[in-house]
Amino acid sequence: MTIERVTENLQAAVKGIDAVKNSVARITANGLSSSQPVTFDDGKIDSKLSRRVDFRIRTKADEKMNELAKGINHNGKN
């Protein structure tokens, strides 16, 4: 991924944050190179292609959904 593409993605993320009203938003970044490596056909890791990051926007809605899910799990329901 080029620096221009990363910049575009971050700008899109910032616009998304601006669009979220009445909530606290955060951007999280998760490196994928070790947890989800890209491999060649022979199984060897392609270190260059494996270097990537997943950006996510977390809002209070995400937190509330997680709280509800925990509450359901603690009450013995699925």
Side-chain angles (χ1 to χ4, degrees):
M1 182 176 289
T2 65
I3 190 71
E4 291 83 12
R5 184 72 177 144
V6 171
T7 302
E8 289 172 6
N9 288 345
L10 287 174
Q11 288 172 341
V14 169
K15 286 182 183 178
I17 290 172
D18 290 340
V20 177
K21 295 182 181 180
N22 300 322
S23 66
V24 176
R26 308 175 283 206
I27 297 177
T28 59
N30 182 33
L32 301 174
S33 61
S34 60
S35 64
Q36 298 176 18
V38 176
T39 58
F40 293 107
D41 291 336
D42 63 4
K44 292 182 182 176
I45 295 174
D46 184 332
S47 59
K48 187 173 182 179
L49 288 179
S50 291
R51 292 181 61 183
R52 60 204 194 284
V53 178
D54 178 36
F55 292 95
R56 294 178 186 236
I57 298 173
R58 300 217 14 137
T59 65
K60 281 191 172 188
D62 293 330
E63 293 172 8
K64 293 294 183 187
M65 294 287 282
N66 288 335
E67 287 176 20
L68 289 171
K70 286 179 186 175
I72 290 171
N73 290 335
H74 287 282
N75 290 329
K77 299 177 185 175
N78 290 329

